[in-house]
Amino acid sequence: SDEGSGVADGDSDAGCRDALEGDGACKAKHGPQNGILPRRSLRLAVAMVVATIAGMVLFCVRITSYEAFAEELYGRWGFLADPAKAYAAPIWLGEFGTNTDSRWWRRLMRFLQEHPDIGWAYWSVNGEKRVLSDESFGLLLPDERTVRHRWKLD
């Protein structure tokens, strides 16, 4: 017996050295050799990767429109601020910010403009996190007078 190998007497791999060259019985008995996946498993793994990428692409295409973005926010929490609904409740979106003029920023600002019943606060106004430490999300530069990014005020 090969102690600790999990292989019983008479079941050694001695006769299976050529398993990768086509000995189907050996492959069936011992599985893939040297960590190599059988072709069917490899095809399945590739198909799963392709399906995952396709799903991500479809999601990105769907969310590329403002309408899809707004629908997503409204469906998650925006509906709570609808004054026409009996369950309307105040919504406060607090402490968000960015230092990049991105699609996300423009869409969020548009959503908030179209839903004036949703309150919000930008992080942060000042240009420093602490003394002599720049805050790149700040509306103002460290001098606290100069606007850092004009596009945030559009």
Side-chain angles (χ1 to χ4, degrees), residues 31-42:
Q33 302 295 312
N34 301 326
I36 298 173
L37 290 174
R39 286 183 186 211
R40 187 165 58 174
S41 296
L42 184 58

Side-chain angles (χ1 to χ4, degrees), residues 97-100 122-129 133-142 148-149 151-152:
T98 185
N99 58 8
T100 306
Y122 180 84
W123 177 267
S124 77
V125 171
N126 59 323
E128 291 183 323
K129 292 179 188 179
S133 178
D134 190 48
E135 171 57 82
S136 65
F137 283 25
L139 289 175
L140 302 175
L141 290 172
R148 181 182 301 268
H149 302 119
W151 50 265
K152 289 181 185 174

